[in-house]
Amino acid sequence: QVQLVESGGGLVQAGGSLRLSCAASGNFISINDMGWYRQALGKQRELVASISSGGSTNYADSVKGRCAISRDNAKNTVYLQMNSLKPEDTAVYYCNAVVKVTVWGSRNYYGQGTQVTVSS
């Protein structure tokens, strides 16, 4: 079993910054891609940013230039630094990891989510 535990959400004023963290634990061989998704009230879950095991990154257009994703492979941890936050960034943010659990394949996992609220 694999667990993803997020931290770092909270309430911040527009223009402020937050740093989200997500640590993976459990029994697995390795972690491939890691990333962050978000789901605002009444909307579908969307990808915010992702990072491969080699460090290649991908960002949603809505956060490019304002967010930076990084990971520490030794700690099985992924981070999301969010700057210049806007009210429209308000959502529940979910950590995601594609985890190689056996030599035959990988599984997709999500954390429990952390609330980010940006006040205007």
Side-chain angles (χ1 to χ4, degrees), residues 34-83:
M34 301 186 81
W36 292 92
Y37 286 74
R38 67 185 180 187
Q39 187 166 18
L41 197 62
K43 295 188 177 181
Q44 289 188 330
R45 189 175 296 189
E46 62 176 0
L47 175 69
V48 178
S50 64
I51 184 168
S52 71
S53 57
S56 297
T57 59
N58 180 49
Y59 295 94
D61 288 343
S62 58
V63 303
K64 279 181 181 176
R66 299 189 297 119
C67 292
I69 189 170
S70 60
R71 64 190 284 174
D72 185 334
N73 291 330
K75 296 181 179 179
N76 296 319
T77 300
V78 63
Y79 307 95
L80 184 67
Q81 177 68 42
M82 301 187 293
N83 302 319

Side-chain angles (χ1 to χ4, degrees), residues 5 10-11 14-15 22 31 35 38 40 44 46 52 55 60 63 67 71 73 80 82 84 90 92 99 104-105 108 114:
V5 179
L11 174 64
C22 171
I31 303 177
R38 67 185 180 187
Q44 289 188 330
E46 62 176 0
S52 71
V63 303
C67 292
R71 64 190 284 174
N73 291 330
L80 184 67
M82 301 187 293
S84 302
T90 295
V92 177
V99 182
W104 299 283
N108 200 24
T114 185

Side-chain angles (χ1 to χ4, degrees), residues 1 5 14 20 30 53 56 64 66 72 79 81 84 89 101 103 107-110 115 120:
Q1 189 71 0
V5 179
L20 306 183
S30 62
S53 57
S56 297
K64 279 181 181 176
R66 299 189 297 119
D72 185 334
Y79 307 95
Q81 177 68 42
S84 302
D89 294 317
V101 292
V103 295
R107 290 187 62 182
N108 200 24
Y109 291 90
Y110 286 92
Q115 178 70 46
S120 56

